[in-house]
Amino acid sequence: GNSVTQMEGPVTLSEEAFLTINCTYTATGYPSLFWYVQYPGEGLQLLLKATKADDKGSNKGFEATYRKETTSFHLEKGSVQVSDSAVYFCALSRDSQGNLIFGKGTKLSVKP
Amino acid sequence: DAGITQSPRHKVTETGTPVTLRCHQTENHRYMYWYRQDPGHGLRLIHYSYGVKDTDKGEVSDGYSVSRSKTEDFLLTLESATSSQTSVYFCAISGDQGETQYFGPGTRLLVL
């Protein structure tokens, strides 16, 4: 069945550093891929998505490209800010019931 | 922001008591979900609904029941709360299965 694996955290970076959070998947067919972000004390918010191979999702300076050949959807940002400190979840559709499958989350801390 | 509210936002209860959490949406979305979030486990799907009176089990449904008598409300009931059900509970909605989900702010439940 479909599954998603994202890098273990926590990740600690200095402000303005480059960020990569790895996400790989196994899937049959052509799933949609998502990155969600959860700020402290809040629910998850959609950060970006891609629905087909070679699509690039982008939002708030974050980018991720749907790579079918490497089954990856890595999240990147060129220059992180303290306000980017949060937990990031990779997700794909669908499981056997048709629902989204979430990775376990990667906690990012950005220090000034 | 998607119109999703959860109540209560915080609850402390004792082992063996029944507890009901409510999720209310104003988006008229067909699909509604209940997740729990625990350290080391990420998000786990408890139950979901694909319409009024139509529900199905998720990954961790034991000890939980749900009801959906109106499009806008999805209730999660712990029939007899146990300490292992101490968690943060999130409701989510989506217009279609396997597509973008929008999350509520969460309910923090402590079972003593």
Side-chain angles (χ1 to χ4, degrees), chain A residues 4 9 14 16 18 21 23 27 33 35 67 70 73 85 104-105 110:
Chain A
V4 61
S14 297
E16 299 184 1
F18 184 86
I21 300 178
C23 174
L33 298 169
W35 276 102
R67 302 280 188 203
T70 55
F73 193 55
S85 297
K104 292 193 182 301
V110 181

Side-chain angles (χ1 to χ4, degrees), chain B:
Chain B
D1 289 343
I4 312 168
T5 56
Q6 293 184 231
S7 58
R9 294 293 313 280
H10 302 272
K11 186 168 182 67
V12 180
T13 192
E14 294 186 349
T15 297
T17 60
V19 176
T20 295
L21 309 182
R22 180 181 183 238
C23 177
H24 179 79
Q25 60 144 330
T26 58
E27 305 297 320
N28 201 38
H29 279 352
R30 179 181 174 191
Y31 289 86
M32 299 185 75
Y33 310 82
W34 277 109
Y35 292 91
R36 59 178 290 174
Q37 184 177 30
D38 304 288
H41 292 279
L43 279 176
R44 292 183 290 176
L45 182 65
I46 304 171
H47 282 279
Y48 68 102
S49 168
Y50 46 97
V52 173
K53 294 188 174 20
D54 293 324
T55 65
D56 205 349
K57 296 178 180 180
E59 178 187 357
V60 290
S61 59
D62 287 349
Y64 301 95
S65 62
V66 290
S67 66
R68 189 165 180 204
S69 59
K70 298 186 289 185
T71 298
E72 58 266 35
D73 290 326
F74 192 32
L75 304 181
L76 177 71
T77 297
L78 290 64
E79 303 289 349
S80 177
T82 67
S83 58
S84 64
Q85 294 176 311
T86 291
S87 187
V88 181
Y89 291 86
F90 287 99
C91 174
I93 64 175
S94 69
D96 198 2
Q97 202 174 21
E99 293 306 321
T100 302
Q101 292 184 13
Y102 301 93
F103 284 77
T107 294
R108 191 172 293 273
L109 176 67
L110 175 60
V111 183
L112 299 174

Side-chain angles (χ1 to χ4, degrees), chain A residues 6 11-13 19 22 29 31-32 46 51 58 60 67-69 71 86 89 92 101-102 104 107 110:
Chain A
Q6 65 181 102
V11 174
T12 303
L13 296 173
L19 169 70
N22 291 337
S32 296
L46 179 68
T51 58
S58 61
K60 300 182 181 180
R67 302 280 188 203
K68 199 169 192 304
E69 64 275 13
T71 61
F89 293 89
L92 84 156
I101 304 166
F102 287 89
K104 292 193 182 301
K107 183 175 182 179
V110 181

Side-chain angles (χ1 to χ4, degrees), chain A residues 29-48:
Chain A
Y30 302 94
S32 296
L33 298 169
F34 307 82
W35 276 102
Y36 282 81
V37 58
Q38 183 181 31
Y39 298 105
E42 299 183 9
L44 280 70
Q45 307 173 20
L46 179 68
L47 181 59
L48 53 86

Side-chain angles (χ1 to χ4, degrees), chain A:
Chain A
N2 293 1
S3 66
V4 61
T5 303
Q6 65 181 102
M7 64 186 285
E8 299 279 334
V11 174
T12 303
L13 296 173
S14 297
E15 205 165 23
E16 299 184 1
F18 184 86
L19 169 70
T20 300
I21 300 178
N22 291 337
C23 174
T24 58
Y25 68 90
T26 57
T28 55
Y30 302 94
S32 296
L33 298 169
F34 307 82
W35 276 102
Y36 282 81
V37 58
Q38 183 181 31
Y39 298 105
E42 299 183 9
L44 280 70
Q45 307 173 20
L46 179 68
L47 181 59
L48 53 86
K49 65 184 280 190
T51 58
K52 62 182 186 296
D54 300 324
D55 267 1
K56 177 185 283 187
S58 61
N59 186 24
K60 300 182 181 180
F62 291 90
E63 294 182 340
T65 301
Y66 189 158
R67 302 280 188 203
K68 199 169 192 304
E69 64 275 13
T70 55
T71 61
S72 65
F73 193 55
H74 304 322
L75 182 68
E76 296 181 336
K77 186 175 185 182
S79 176
V80 294
Q81 305 299 312
V82 172
S83 57
D84 294 326
S85 297
V87 180
Y88 293 82
F89 293 89
C90 185
L92 84 156
S93 62
R94 301 165 184 230
D95 66 11
S96 59
Q97 294 172 300
N99 298 312
L100 291 188
I101 304 166
F102 287 89
K104 292 193 182 301
T106 302
K107 183 175 182 179
L108 170 66
S109 296
V110 181
K111 307 299 183 186

